[in-house]
Amino acid sequence: SSDLKWQKIKAAIDREYQWGSSKVGAYRYVGSDIHHRTGSQGNYIMVDQDSYVENLADVEIDPVRFKNAATVLTKSEIGKCRSALGALQWLAVQTQPQICARCNLLLSELAREPKMTVAQEIQQVIRETRKHPHRLRFDRIPSVNHWQQMVVVTMGDQAHNNRPDGSSTGGLINFLGGPELLDGSPGRLVMVSWRTWKLRRVAISSNDAEIQAMVEAEDVNFRTRLLWAELNGAGAEKGLDLLAF
């Protein structure tokens, strides 16, 4: 707030738009609470959905039927399971990567084998998420002094033949880090995106599934690098040159 260049930009934005109440340090945006904090290593941003997690509803199925794992779900019960999964998937996409794959697999199981065991596992995920909700922390990376020093690290993996229809699942986690990573040295990583999905083709082997997953992970890596270049004013043409390099 003491930077003169930023003050000028902020004044121009304030003149352009009409604003309501101003919040400093913390605010809520589409169900996520965003906090600006200061720690022993400097300023950082914390994102959580604790209030959303606290209000997660249980799967609304009759307790007597719910206890019988072999019971086939009724049409109404399938709808209630879909509703509960929808609430969980919003968390999985926004702040809870630890439940991302499970939600994805449960949706497939619900469509193919709608048994009470699926509803029981959905309820288990709800309980675990309430008990241990994750929070995202975005720190400044000390070794990055210029935007071109930022390194994008993407990890991809697969689970072969782990779905009811015999298909496989891919997964990836995407990070930003410092230039020391290029030398194989340890360094701070900031997680910026993640994803799980059903692989497009039925994999004939674990290597086949691995290749499919890594191709998707590589695409995410290149898109992140291009977006970072665009955000720092490189422009699309310059950004593509950087990616080629």
Side-chain angles (χ1 to χ4, degrees):
S1 59
S2 60
D3 185 88
L4 295 178
K5 185 177 180 181
W6 166 243
Q7 289 177 9
K8 185 177 179 180
I9 294 171
K10 184 174 182 298
I13 295 173
D14 289 340
R15 288 193 300 269
E16 190 71 22
Y17 301 98
Q18 291 184 349
W19 300 92
S21 59
S22 177
K23 296 182 179 180
V24 178
Y27 68 98
R28 180 168 296 173
Y29 179 73
V30 292
S32 298
D33 289 315
I34 303 172
H35 311 269
H36 174 259
R37 295 177 177 171
T38 302
S40 58
Q41 298 181 341
N43 296 332
Y44 64 93
I45 296 172
M46 183 76 75
V47 180
D48 69 67
Q49 289 185 296
D50 291 358
S51 60
Y52 185 96
V53 171
E54 289 173 1
N55 293 308
L56 275 177
D58 293 324
V59 181
E60 296 180 3
I61 293 178
D62 178 78
V64 176
R65 284 180 54 79
F66 189 78
K67 292 179 181 179
N68 189 349
T71 302
V72 177
L73 297 171
T74 65
K75 186 175 181 180
S76 173
E77 290 169 342
I78 291 174
K80 291 174 180 177
C81 286
R82 288 187 182 277
S83 177
L85 268 178
L88 285 171
Q89 283 183 306
W90 174 247
L91 286 168
V93 169
Q94 296 294 316
T95 58
Q96 307 296 312
Q98 81 280 10
I99 64 171
C100 193
R102 292 173 70 185
C103 289
N104 191 277
L105 291 169
L106 284 169
L107 192 59
S108 293
E109 289 183 29
L110 186 63
R112 192 171 181 86
E113 298 180 13
K115 295 183 179 179
M116 196 60 71
T117 51
V118 179
Q120 291 173 347
E121 188 167 352
I122 293 172
Q123 182 61 42
Q124 179 65 25
V125 176
I126 291 173
R127 285 197 294 264
E128 290 176 8
T129 306
R130 283 191 193 133
K131 189 174 181 180
H132 301 291
H134 283 209
R135 297 171 181 173
L136 303 180
R137 174 167 169 158
F138 300 92
D139 288 277
R140 179 184 177 278
I141 300 173
S143 57
V144 175
N145 298 307
H146 186 274
W147 71 269
Q148 287 181 320
Q149 292 179 305
M150 190 71 78
V151 175
V152 181
V153 178
T154 310
M155 302 179 183
D157 204 353
Q158 57 79 34
H160 181 235
N161 193 22
N162 70 328
R163 292 175 178 266
D165 61 355
S167 58
S168 305
T169 302
L172 63 86
I173 307 179
N174 197 30
F175 300 91
L176 297 179
E180 65 276 4
L181 300 173
L182 298 175
D183 300 323
S185 301
R188 182 177 298 175
L189 289 171
V190 176
M191 185 168 61
V192 291
S193 65
W194 58 89
R195 181 188 170 211
T196 61
W197 69 96
K198 178 181 176 180
L199 296 184
R200 297 180 183 181
R201 302 190 314 274
V202 175
I204 60 174
S205 67
S206 60
N207 283 342
D208 182 7
E210 195 84 39
I211 291 169
Q212 290 188 57
M214 291 309 299
V215 167
E216 294 286 339
E218 184 182 41
D219 285 347
V220 168
N221 184 282
F222 273 76
R223 285 196 295 269
T224 305
R225 291 164 65 187
L226 180 58
L227 177 60
W228 180 250
E230 288 276 3
L231 289 172
N232 286 277
E237 184 176 346
K238 179 63 175 176
L240 289 172
D241 289 342
L242 288 168
L243 294 185
F245 176 76

